[in-house]
Amino acid sequence: MGKKVLIVGGVAGGASAAARLRRLDETAEIILFERDEYISFANCGLPYYIGETIKDRNKLLVQTPEAMKARFNIDVRNNSEVISVDAKNKKVVVKSKTKGTYEESYDYLILSPGGKAIRPNIPGINSEKIFTLRNIPDTDIIKAYVDKKGINHAVVIGGGFIGVEMAENLRDRGLNVTLVEAAPHILAPFDPDMVVIAEKELAENGVGLILGDGVKSFEEIGNQVQITLGSNTKINADIIILAIGVSPDTAFLKESGLAFGPKGHIIVNEKMETNLEGVYAVGDAIEVVDFITKQKTAIALAGPANKQGRIAADNVAGLNATYKGTQGSSILKIFGLTAASTGANERTLQRASMPYQVIYVHPVSHASYYPGAIPMSLKLIFNEEGRVLGAQGIGYDGVDKRIDVIATAIRFNGTVDDLAELELSYAPPFSSAKDPVNMAGFVAQNVLADRMNTVAWKDIEKDGNEDTMLLDVRTELEFSNGHLDGAINIPVDSLRERMNELDKNKTIIEYCQVGLRGYIAARILSQNGFKVANVTGGYKTSSMLHY
Amino acid sequence: MGKKVLIVGGVAGGASAAARLRRLDETAEIILFERDEYISFANCGLPYYIGETIKDRNKLLVQTPEAMKARFNIDVRNNSEVISVDAKNKKVVVKSKTKGTYEESYDYLILSPGGKAIRPNIPGINSEKIFTLRNIPDTDIIKAYVDKKGINHAVVIGGGFIGVEMAENLRDRGLNVTLVEAAPHILAPFDPDMVVIAEKELAENGVGLILGDGVKSFEEIGNQVQITLGSNTKINADIIILAIGVSPDTAFLKESGLAFGPKGHIIVNEKMETNLEGVYAVGDAIEVVDFITKQKTAIALAGPANKQGRIAADNVAGLNATYKGTQGSSILKIFGLTAASTGANERTLQRASMPYQVIYVHPVSHASYYPGAIPMSLKLIFNEEGRVLGAQGIGYDGVDKRIDVIATAIRFNGTVDDLAELELSYAPPFSSAKDPVNMAGFVAQNVLADRMNTVAWKDIEKDGNEDTMLLDVRTELEFSNGHLDGAINIPVDSLRERMNELDKNKTIIEYCQVGLRGYIAARILSQNGFKVANVTGGYKTSSMLHY
Ligand SMILES: Cc1cc2nc3c(=O)[nH]c(=O)nc-3n(C[C@H](O)[C@H](O)[C@H](O)COP(=O)(O)OP(=O)(O)OC[C@H]3O[C@@H](n4cnc5c(N)ncnc54)[C@H](O)[C@@H]3O)c2cc1C
Ligand SMILES: Cc1cc2nc3c(=O)[nH]c(=O)nc-3n(C[C@H](O)[C@H](O)[C@H](O)COP(=O)(O)OP(=O)(O)OC[C@H]3O[C@@H](n4cnc5c(N)ncnc54)[C@H](O)[C@@H]3O)c2cc1C
Ligand SMILES: CC(C)(COP(=O)(O)OP(=O)(O)OC[C@H]1O[C@@H](n2cnc3c(N)ncnc32)[C@H](O)[C@@H]1OP(=O)(O)O)[C@@H](O)C(=O)NCCC(=O)NCCS
Ligand SMILES: CC(C)(COP(=O)(O)OP(=O)(O)OC[C@H]1O[C@@H](n2cnc3c(N)ncnc32)[C@H](O)[C@@H]1OP(=O)(O)O)[C@@H](O)C(=O)NCCC(=O)NCCS
């Protein structure tokens, strides 16, 4: 018999490690411990089962203990919690629902215990009407509760991915839904200027949004729970979903001698090795390196967990595999909308003191003359050397593709020149001859080469003063449908004839709808001796910010 | 006044160069010559206008001469053909429909004359019922013809992109359509094993397919044209679309002193400069470098033409821009199907004597438990060092994304390890925790590391002999629904118990449905001392080849 490998946690990281290890090594003894009844389930599908988009509960169960045994000869022990690790003697203590407490020795140990939903110590938090969502039992309870008669008002606390997904899915079930977020905006991977589009989509689909207001207390009143927010706003709910994040589920490892990061994440090296000999860790419970900032971070996402599980197995089997850090690539459906991001956002870069520049484009999803073309908003973040640091995209179609393409470029330390040059596949139903990613590259090139001096809305709004002149270069019709206070209107197509109406002593801050005509106007004016700045993202971005 | 720049050709390459140049240089005198009436039209949309997916003809006209004047101050001269170039004296001769013949001098000349549809010298080719499609006038004529009563039978000659698009669009108009291709398969960028899926889609949508049979002659018989093929098959048609490729439209440059490639393409360097001082060329008319093989090639696609136009303008304006070669990334809608490819295919690599390996995966478009997930076929081609050389994808959803991601990786000289490691955005409606691209990377890693010995269908079909044993590792139900002649059935999940039924002296050629279970079976058997080869692509690929 070969090496004896214990795995703690039977879902994304753990089950992936087990399957890969068996493929690499028929002789290893592999035992997989899972505290709950279910292994290998589709965590990411849980909200959609509650929302009844996924109708068949069995679809959530990707693998069963029996199937893992038959296919991979894995000794799956569900209902078996590992309660401590004795690294010196290379053994763990297991508390089994059926077999009591026992020890099991190991040559190698792979830890993938995941995270647990955070439940802060707020008055009233123990109400039975407050749910968190992490696994199948949670799902069954929530779904049964929602299925009951008289459950009409839901409050979701926390505007992260799971919170937004639950808001959408409860709305799909016909509930009145309010989403409460303590920060000024939902979905932290996105910067405020982008996330407003997602917030608008939620609002338009009937999800009430309360931003910048945290929960102070809960109180059961009759059949409902009353939530009191920091602002003293009170809202009543039949059901509350608490989705304010996860923390590593590592309490059972406290005495093991493992090294932990500041928030309780297990510290590993590139090979997924912990500080303890023969002990590997993967998934939501570990600390990883941010691919962009090179700082330590943690990322609770299934892709990294699966890949890290595979890497740990490779290393246990004697191959040499490494995990090179996370870009935090993530994506979310919000009703009709797709919101996706990769790399660092402005907040992260500011925190890491990494200088950056930003551009926005609003290209159409595919050739504008082919039916169904619809604009998306794409934000690109890059540094002075042109290296792409991050991107965020929101729109109704084709956003996932563009963010994945940029994620790929980031992986290769690509620059904005690389984005401009990418040869992507084009036919009218799928893209444009200049793909949105190319377009973002072009615009960034122009900014870096000082061909376009840009200014952000937030800056003009505070900087507007006597030395500047606000110019709207859209058509007269667009102008009359709405424009910025104090702007004068000269359509770009008349600019060459009418530039004598402008003052060479002032800085001309000009905008169009999305930035393209503003760029052309800027090129005309600057080459004619005017000081000019084009507003990034155009009027569209401004109206988004003020929707 | 600044430099004087003449541009020949007012569509993809030419109009892009003109617009970019103006943005870079307000003072240049820019004159754009276009032989036809229309500039800047959507070539790629023409088939869809004929098919009435695009309903408004105006949508095909991206820019007009007037709009180019107003926005970019370009002197657009349509109906003006440049008939010769005098490079020594830096001038061109123009034949204008309204102004007769005149000369125009230049400091810089940018040539983007594009290609013209090939019309070989076949008996009967001059019938008025035989059309080619390249521009708006062609489109108007074809559409008017199709709109007529009594036009029921169409034959499309040539199974390239335009031929297939026309077949689909004429079918959408309710015509009986037959597509005739002289080569054994349509769509040359795809290898035969992939393109059969596209051929099946055409057939299922009622397009008759005649492969491996070229046209010998045309003959008008009554209101129809009779087409006689090489095999002497005869088919009658009310309308014939001839779409057998394009050749560079460079006859007017013959005496100019320009250097041409073997097929009449203009030779340029990385900066789009020709051998003549001050003369640049871009688009369908030029020779470019194949990014993979580094050999000379030509690529008639809009993305490269647009980008090369921009690069030429940059260089004329004194910037330093280069075109680094084409990957031939291309894509096509075929009824419900998407077919996309990037990089080199097997044929190209064989011609270039570049060794390669191939794997197939058939992953689902997004998480299988989320509604709408549908498998795609993905073929990855890579060399022994793991460098990705090409990819082809065919399926109903999400193919464009995966090919664009791989196209991006290829641009960075990425390897299969890179594909395995890519961090792409995942949520159930968009992908799987292991994206199809990751999956292709995994499988290729296993092949390169000799963890999986693979064999292709075409090889077993010819190599089957007494030293081999054919093993089907699918379930009994799948087996009974159809299997390969002579195969025995041991489901992978029973393999460990039943491997005594196999002969260690024979090579076991085993297959499952798509390759995944076959891989697991191969791992089990090889680690137990069996000689084993897994059939790439599984039974699915075999049944595709024999549909
Ligand atoms: C509702 C929801 C939606 C999500 N949606 C997405 C999404 O769309 N995209 C995405 O990328 N990610 C998503 N995720 C995150 C993703 O599921 C996790 O990142 C991933 O599952 C982490 O894998 P893991 O192996 O680290 O932990 P888990 O998959 O959580 O597995 C850990 C397992 O270990 C068990 N365990 C813990 N401690 C012990 C112990 N001491 N003994 C025995 N067993 C133990 C737990 O019971 C648990 O089953 C979602 C998560 C949730 C909850
Ligand atoms: C029906 C059809 C569908 C297509 N679909 C796709 C697709 O889906 N995806 C894709 O990537 N590509 C597609 N293409 C190819 C794409 O349109 C071309 O690659 C691209 O237009 C080439 O650009 P170009 O500037 O070189 O030539 P063109 O766009 O063809 O422009 C050349 C222009 O030059 C003019 N001209 C030529 N000689 C002279 C002269 N002597 N004087 C003055 N003017 C002259 C011509 O009249 C023509 O208008 C398609 C093409 C066609 C015809
Ligand atoms: C219409 C045509 C003349 C446009 O050329 P163009 O002006 O270069 O292209 P676009 O309108 O896409 O604009 C791209 C420019 O806008 C800039 N831009 C785009 N969005 C922007 C934004 N939000 N803010 C600032 N600038 C922006 C880009 O940087 C780029 O400028 P650059 O090249 O100076 O960097 C040309 O593409 C054409 O003739 N197309 C039709 C023919 C054709 O391509 N056929 C084949 C495909 S069907
Ligand atoms: C189900 C589970 C155990 C599967 O693990 P797995 O067997 O490693 O993963 P897959 O079934 O995707 O198969 C991947 C393997 O098949 C191979 N493969 C895939 N297609 C193949 C093909 N056509 N031919 C040959 N091999 C193929 C891959 O190379 C890979 O093997 P490798 O890792 O040895 O290289 C694990 O992913 C799991 O528990 N998932 C559910 C939990 C979860 O991930 N939750 C979060 C997301 S909702």
Coordinates of all heavy atoms in Angstrom, one line a residue, chain A residues 363-374 376 397-402 405 424-438, chain B residues 44 48 161 165 168 190 329-341 393-404:
Chain A
P363 N -18.4 50.3 -25.6 CA -18.6 49.8 -26.9 C -19.8 48.8 -26.9 O -20.3 48.4 -25.9 CB -17.3 49.0 -27.1 CG -16.8 48.6 -25.7 CD -17.3 49.7 -24.8
V364 N -20.2 48.5 -28.1 CA -21.4 47.6 -28.2 C -20.9 46.1 -28.2 O -19.7 45.9 -28.6 CB -22.2 47.8 -29.5 CG1 -23.2 48.9 -29.3 CG2 -21.4 48.1 -30.7
S365 N -21.8 45.3 -27.8 CA -21.4 43.9 -27.6 C -21.0 43.2 -28.9 O -20.2 42.3 -28.9 CB -22.6 43.1 -27.0 OG -23.8 43.4 -27.7
H366 N -21.6 43.6 -30.0 CA -21.2 43.1 -31.3 C -21.5 44.1 -32.3 O -22.1 45.2 -32.0 CB -21.8 41.7 -31.6 CG -23.3 41.7 -31.7 ND1 -24.1 41.0 -30.8 CD2 -24.2 42.3 -32.5 CE1 -25.3 41.1 -31.1 NE2 -25.4 41.9 -32.2
A367 N -21.2 43.9 -33.6 CA -21.4 44.9 -34.6 C -22.7 45.6 -34.5 O -23.8 45.0 -34.4 CB -21.2 44.3 -36.0
S368 N -22.7 46.9 -34.5 CA -23.9 47.7 -34.2 C -25.0 47.5 -35.2 O -26.1 47.7 -34.9 CB -23.5 49.2 -34.0 OG -22.8 49.6 -35.1
Y369 N -24.6 47.1 -36.4 CA -25.6 47.0 -37.5 C -26.3 45.6 -37.4 O -27.2 45.4 -38.1 CB -25.0 47.2 -38.8 CG -23.8 46.4 -39.1 CD1 -23.9 45.0 -39.5 CD2 -22.5 46.9 -39.0 CE1 -22.7 44.3 -39.7 CE2 -21.4 46.1 -39.2 CZ -21.5 44.8 -39.6 OH -20.4 44.0 -39.8
Y370 N -25.8 44.7 -36.6 CA -26.4 43.4 -36.5 C -27.3 43.4 -35.3 O -27.0 43.8 -34.2 CB -25.3 42.3 -36.3 CG -25.8 40.9 -36.4 CD1 -25.8 40.2 -37.7 CD2 -26.2 40.2 -35.3 CE1 -26.3 38.9 -37.8 CE2 -26.7 38.9 -35.4 CZ -26.7 38.3 -36.6 OH -27.2 37.0 -36.7
P371 N -28.5 42.8 -35.4 CA -29.5 42.9 -34.4 C -29.0 42.4 -33.0 O -28.2 41.5 -32.9 CB -30.6 41.9 -34.8 CG -30.5 41.8 -36.3 CD -29.0 42.0 -36.6
G372 N -29.5 43.1 -32.0 CA -29.1 42.7 -30.6 C -27.9 43.3 -30.0 O -27.6 43.1 -28.9
A373 N -27.2 44.2 -30.8 CA -26.0 44.8 -30.3 C -26.5 45.8 -29.1 O -27.4 46.5 -29.3 CB -25.4 45.6 -31.4
I374 N -25.7 45.8 -28.1 CA -26.1 46.5 -26.9 C -24.8 47.0 -26.2 O -23.9 46.2 -26.1 CB -27.1 45.7 -26.0 CG1 -27.6 46.5 -24.9 CG2 -26.4 44.4 -25.5 CD1 -28.8 45.9 -24.2
M376 N -21.9 48.0 -23.6 CA -21.4 47.6 -22.3 C -20.6 48.8 -21.7 O -20.1 49.6 -22.5 CB -20.6 46.3 -22.4 CG -19.3 46.5 -23.1 SD -18.4 44.9 -23.2 CE -19.3 44.1 -24.5
D397 N -24.6 41.9 -22.5 CA -24.1 40.8 -23.3 C -22.6 41.0 -23.6 O -22.2 42.1 -23.8 CB -24.9 40.9 -24.7 CG -24.6 39.7 -25.6 OD1 -24.4 38.6 -25.0 OD2 -24.5 39.9 -26.8
G398 N -21.9 39.9 -23.6 CA -20.5 39.8 -24.0 C -19.5 40.4 -23.0 O -18.3 40.5 -23.3
V399 N -20.0 40.7 -21.8 CA -19.1 41.2 -20.8 C -18.1 40.1 -20.3 O -16.9 40.3 -20.1 CB -19.9 41.8 -19.6 CG1 -19.0 42.0 -18.4 CG2 -20.6 43.1 -20.1
D400 N -18.7 38.9 -20.1 CA -17.9 37.8 -19.6 C -16.7 37.5 -20.5 O -15.5 37.4 -20.1 CB -18.7 36.5 -19.4 CG -19.4 36.1 -20.7 OD1 -19.7 36.9 -21.5 OD2 -19.7 34.8 -20.8
K401 N -16.9 37.6 -21.8 CA -15.9 37.3 -22.8 C -14.8 38.4 -22.7 O -13.6 38.0 -22.6 CB -16.4 37.3 -24.2 CG -15.4 37.2 -25.3 CD -15.9 36.8 -26.6 CE -16.7 37.9 -27.4 NZ -17.1 37.4 -28.7
R402 N -15.1 39.6 -22.6 CA -14.1 40.7 -22.6 C -13.3 40.6 -21.3 O -12.1 40.9 -21.3 CB -14.7 42.1 -22.8 CG -15.0 42.4 -24.3 CD -15.8 41.4 -25.0 NE -16.0 41.6 -26.4 CZ -17.1 41.5 -27.0 NH1 -18.2 41.1 -26.3 NH2 -17.2 41.6 -28.3
V405 N -10.9 37.7 -21.5 CA -9.8 38.1 -22.4 C -8.8 39.0 -21.6 O -7.5 38.7 -21.7 CB -10.3 38.7 -23.7 CG1 -9.1 39.4 -24.4 CG2 -10.9 37.7 -24.6
L424 N -8.6 39.1 -32.0 CA -9.8 38.3 -31.5 C -10.7 38.0 -32.7 O -10.6 38.6 -33.8 CB -10.5 39.1 -30.5 CG -9.5 39.5 -29.3 CD1 -10.2 40.5 -28.4 CD2 -9.1 38.3 -28.5
S425 N -11.5 37.0 -32.5 CA -12.3 36.5 -33.6 C -13.5 37.4 -33.8 O -14.2 37.8 -32.9 CB -12.8 35.1 -33.3 OG -13.6 35.0 -32.1
Y426 N -13.7 37.8 -35.1 CA -14.8 38.7 -35.4 C -15.7 38.3 -36.6 O -15.2 38.0 -37.7 CB -14.2 40.1 -35.8 CG -15.2 40.9 -36.5 CD1 -16.4 41.3 -35.9 CD2 -15.0 41.4 -37.8 CE1 -17.3 42.0 -36.6 CE2 -15.9 42.1 -38.5 CZ -17.1 42.4 -37.9 OH -18.0 43.1 -38.6
A427 N -17.0 38.2 -36.3 CA -18.0 38.2 -37.3 C -19.2 39.0 -36.6 O -19.2 39.1 -35.4 CB -18.4 36.8 -37.7
P428 N -20.1 39.6 -37.4 CA -21.0 40.6 -36.8 C -21.8 40.0 -35.6 O -22.1 40.8 -34.7 CB -21.9 40.9 -38.0 CG -21.1 40.6 -39.2 CD -20.2 39.5 -38.9
P429 N -22.2 38.8 -35.6 CA -23.0 38.4 -34.4 C -22.2 38.3 -33.1 O -22.8 38.1 -32.0 CB -23.5 37.0 -34.7 CG -23.3 36.8 -36.2 CD -22.2 37.7 -36.6
F430 N -20.9 38.4 -33.2 CA -20.1 38.1 -32.0 C -19.2 39.3 -31.5 O -18.9 39.4 -30.3 CB -19.1 37.0 -32.3 CG -19.8 35.7 -32.8 CD1 -19.9 35.4 -34.1 CD2 -20.5 34.9 -31.8 CE1 -20.6 34.3 -34.5 CE2 -21.1 33.8 -32.2 CZ -21.2 33.5 -33.6
S431 N -18.9 40.2 -32.4 CA -18.0 41.3 -31.9 C -17.9 42.3 -33.0 O -18.8 42.4 -33.9 CB -16.6 40.7 -31.7 OG -15.7 41.7 -31.3
S432 N -17.0 43.2 -32.9 CA -16.7 44.3 -33.9 C -15.3 44.1 -34.4 O -14.5 43.5 -33.8 CB -16.9 45.7 -33.3 OG -18.3 45.8 -32.9
A433 N -15.1 44.7 -35.6 CA -13.7 44.5 -36.2 C -12.7 45.0 -35.2 O -11.6 44.5 -35.0 CB -13.6 45.2 -37.5
K434 N -13.0 46.1 -34.4 CA -12.2 46.5 -33.3 C -13.0 46.0 -32.1 O -14.0 46.7 -31.7 CB -12.1 48.0 -33.3 CG -11.3 48.5 -34.4 CD -11.5 50.0 -34.6 CE -10.8 50.5 -35.9 NZ -11.4 51.7 -36.5
D435 N -12.6 45.0 -31.5 CA -13.3 44.4 -30.3 C -13.2 45.4 -29.2 O -12.3 46.2 -29.1 CB -12.6 43.1 -29.9 CG -13.3 42.4 -28.8 OD1 -14.2 41.6 -29.2 OD2 -13.0 42.6 -27.6
P436 N -14.2 45.4 -28.3 CA -14.2 46.2 -27.1 C -12.9 46.2 -26.4 O -12.4 47.2 -25.9 CB -15.3 45.6 -26.3 CG -16.3 45.2 -27.3 CD -15.5 44.6 -28.4
V437 N -12.2 45.0 -26.3 CA -10.9 45.0 -25.7 C -9.9 45.8 -26.4 O -9.1 46.5 -25.9 CB -10.5 43.5 -25.5 CG1 -9.1 43.4 -24.9 CG2 -11.4 42.8 -24.6
N438 N -9.9 45.6 -27.8 CA -9.0 46.5 -28.6 C -9.2 47.9 -28.3 O -8.3 48.7 -28.1 CB -9.2 46.2 -30.1 CG -8.9 44.8 -30.6 OD1 -9.6 44.3 -31.3 ND2 -7.8 44.2 -30.1
Chain B
C44 N -19.1 42.9 -43.7 CA -19.4 41.7 -43.0 C -20.9 41.5 -42.8 O -21.4 40.5 -42.5 CB -18.6 41.7 -41.7 SG -16.9 42.3 -41.9
Y48 N -26.1 39.2 -44.2 CA -27.2 39.3 -43.3 C -28.3 40.3 -43.7 O -29.5 40.2 -43.3 CB -26.7 39.6 -41.9 CG -25.8 38.5 -41.4 CD1 -24.4 38.7 -41.5 CD2 -26.3 37.3 -40.9 CE1 -23.6 37.7 -41.1 CE2 -25.5 36.3 -40.5 CZ -24.1 36.5 -40.6 OH -23.3 35.5 -40.2
F161 N -16.1 31.2 -45.5 CA -16.9 31.9 -44.6 C -18.1 32.6 -45.4 O -19.3 32.5 -45.0 CB -16.1 33.0 -43.9 CG -15.3 32.4 -42.8 CD1 -13.9 32.2 -43.0 CD2 -15.8 32.1 -41.6 CE1 -13.1 31.6 -42.1 CE2 -15.0 31.5 -40.6 CZ -13.7 31.3 -40.8
E165 N -22.0 31.7 -45.0 CA -23.0 32.7 -44.5 C -24.1 32.9 -45.6 O -25.3 33.1 -45.2 CB -22.2 34.0 -44.3 CG -21.4 34.0 -43.0 CD -20.6 35.3 -42.8 OE1 -20.7 36.3 -43.6 OE2 -20.0 35.4 -41.8
E168 N -26.6 30.0 -45.4 CA -27.5 30.2 -44.3 C -28.5 31.3 -44.6 O -29.7 31.1 -44.3 CB -26.7 30.6 -43.0 CG -27.6 31.0 -41.8 CD -26.9 31.2 -40.5 OE1 -25.7 30.9 -40.4 OE2 -27.5 31.8 -39.6
F190 N -10.7 25.1 -40.3 CA -11.0 24.0 -39.4 C -10.4 22.7 -40.0 O -10.5 22.5 -41.2 CB -12.5 23.9 -39.1 CG -13.0 25.1 -38.4 CD1 -13.4 26.2 -39.2 CD2 -13.1 25.1 -37.1 CE1 -13.9 27.3 -38.5 CE2 -13.6 26.2 -36.4 CZ -14.0 27.3 -37.2
S329 N -7.4 34.5 -36.4 CA -8.6 34.3 -35.5 C -9.8 34.6 -36.3 O -10.0 35.7 -36.8 CB -8.5 35.2 -34.3 OG -7.3 35.1 -33.6
S330 N -10.8 33.6 -36.3 CA -12.0 33.9 -37.1 C -13.1 33.1 -36.5 O -13.0 32.2 -35.7 CB -11.8 33.4 -38.6 OG -11.4 32.1 -38.6
I331 N -14.3 33.5 -36.9 CA -15.5 33.0 -36.3 C -16.7 33.1 -37.2 O -16.7 34.0 -38.1 CB -15.8 33.8 -35.0 CG1 -16.9 33.1 -34.1 CG2 -16.2 35.2 -35.2 CD1 -17.0 33.6 -32.7
L332 N -17.7 32.3 -37.0 CA -18.8 32.2 -37.9 C -20.0 31.6 -37.2 O -19.9 30.7 -36.4 CB -18.4 31.2 -39.0 CG -19.3 30.9 -40.2 CD1 -19.4 32.2 -41.0 CD2 -18.8 29.7 -41.0
K333 N -21.1 32.2 -37.5 CA -22.4 31.7 -37.0 C -22.9 30.8 -38.1 O -22.9 31.1 -39.3 CB -23.4 32.8 -36.8 CG -24.8 32.4 -36.5 CD -25.7 33.6 -36.2 CE -26.9 33.7 -37.0 NZ -27.7 32.4 -37.1
I334 N -23.3 29.6 -37.7 CA -23.9 28.6 -38.7 C -25.2 28.2 -38.1 O -25.2 27.3 -37.3 CB -22.9 27.4 -38.9 CG1 -21.5 27.9 -39.3 CG2 -23.5 26.5 -40.0 CD1 -20.5 26.8 -39.2
F335 N -26.2 28.8 -38.5 CA -27.5 28.7 -37.8 C -27.3 28.8 -36.3 O -26.8 29.8 -35.9 CB -28.2 27.3 -38.3 CG -28.5 27.3 -39.8 CD1 -27.6 26.8 -40.7 CD2 -29.7 27.9 -40.2 CE1 -27.9 26.8 -42.0 CE2 -29.9 28.0 -41.6 CZ -29.1 27.4 -42.5
G336 N -27.7 27.8 -35.5 CA -27.5 28.0 -34.1 C -26.1 27.8 -33.6 O -25.8 28.2 -32.4
L337 N -25.2 27.4 -34.4 CA -23.9 27.0 -34.0 C -22.9 28.1 -34.2 O -23.1 29.0 -35.0 CB -23.5 25.9 -35.0 CG -22.5 24.8 -34.5 CD1 -23.1 24.0 -33.3 CD2 -22.3 23.8 -35.7
T338 N -21.9 28.1 -33.3 CA -20.7 29.0 -33.5 C -19.5 28.1 -33.8 O -19.3 27.2 -33.1 CB -20.5 29.7 -32.2 OG1 -21.6 30.4 -31.8 CG2 -19.3 30.7 -32.3
A339 N -18.8 28.6 -34.8 CA -17.5 27.9 -35.1 C -16.4 28.9 -35.1 O -16.5 29.9 -35.8 CB -17.6 27.2 -36.5
A340 N -15.4 28.7 -34.3 CA -14.3 29.7 -34.2 C -13.0 29.0 -34.2 O -12.9 27.9 -33.7 CB -14.5 30.6 -33.0
S341 N -12.0 29.7 -34.6 CA -10.6 29.2 -34.6 C -9.6 30.3 -34.4 O -9.8 31.4 -34.8 CB -10.4 28.4 -35.8 OG -10.0 29.2 -36.9
G393 N -13.0 25.7 -32.0 CA -14.1 25.4 -31.1 C -15.4 25.4 -31.9 O -15.6 26.3 -32.8
I394 N -16.3 24.5 -31.7 CA -17.6 24.5 -32.3 C -18.6 24.1 -31.2 O -18.5 23.2 -30.5 CB -17.7 23.5 -33.5 CG1 -16.5 23.8 -34.5 CG2 -19.0 23.6 -34.2 CD1 -16.7 23.2 -35.9
G395 N -19.7 24.9 -31.2 CA -20.8 24.6 -30.2 C -21.8 25.7 -30.3 O -21.8 26.6 -31.1
Y396 N -22.8 25.5 -29.4 CA -24.0 26.4 -29.4 C -23.9 27.6 -28.5 O -24.6 28.5 -28.7 CB -25.3 25.6 -29.1 CG -25.5 24.6 -30.2 CD1 -25.0 23.3 -30.2 CD2 -26.2 25.0 -31.3 CE1 -25.3 22.4 -31.2 CE2 -26.5 24.1 -32.4 CZ -26.0 22.8 -32.3 OH -26.2 22.0 -33.4
D397 N -22.9 27.6 -27.6 CA -22.8 28.7 -26.7 C -21.4 28.8 -26.1 O -20.8 27.7 -25.7 CB -23.9 28.5 -25.5 CG -23.9 29.7 -24.6 OD1 -23.8 30.8 -25.1 OD2 -24.1 29.5 -23.4
G398 N -20.9 30.0 -26.0 CA -19.7 30.2 -25.2 C -18.4 29.8 -26.0 O -17.3 29.9 -25.4
V399 N -18.5 29.5 -27.2 CA -17.4 29.1 -28.0 C -16.5 30.4 -28.3 O -15.3 30.3 -28.3 CB -17.8 28.4 -29.3 CG1 -16.6 28.3 -30.3 CG2 -18.4 27.0 -29.0
D400 N -17.2 31.5 -28.7 CA -16.4 32.7 -29.0 C -15.5 33.1 -27.8 O -14.4 33.4 -28.0 CB -17.4 33.8 -29.4 CG -18.4 34.1 -28.3 OD1 -18.8 33.2 -27.5 OD2 -18.9 35.3 -28.3
K401 N -16.0 33.0 -26.6 CA -15.3 33.4 -25.4 C -14.0 32.5 -25.3 O -12.9 33.0 -25.1 CB -16.1 33.3 -24.2 CG -15.4 33.5 -22.9 CD -16.3 33.8 -21.7 CE -17.0 32.6 -21.1 NZ -17.7 33.0 -19.9
R402 N -14.2 31.2 -25.4 CA -13.0 30.3 -25.2 C -12.0 30.5 -26.3 O -10.8 30.5 -26.0 CB -13.5 28.9 -25.1 CG -14.0 28.5 -23.7 CD -15.1 29.3 -23.2 NE -15.5 29.1 -21.9 CZ -16.8 29.0 -21.5 NH1 -17.8 29.2 -22.4 NH2 -17.1 28.8 -20.3
I403 N -12.4 30.7 -27.5 CA -11.4 30.9 -28.6 C -10.7 32.2 -28.4 O -9.5 32.3 -28.6 CB -12.1 30.7 -30.0 CG1 -12.5 29.3 -30.2 CG2 -11.1 31.2 -31.1 CD1 -11.4 28.2 -30.2
D404 N -11.4 33.2 -28.0 CA -10.8 34.5 -27.8 C -9.8 34.5 -26.6 O -8.7 35.1 -26.7 CB -11.8 35.6 -27.6 CG -12.4 36.2 -28.9 OD1 -11.9 35.7 -29.9 OD2 -13.2 37.1 -28.8

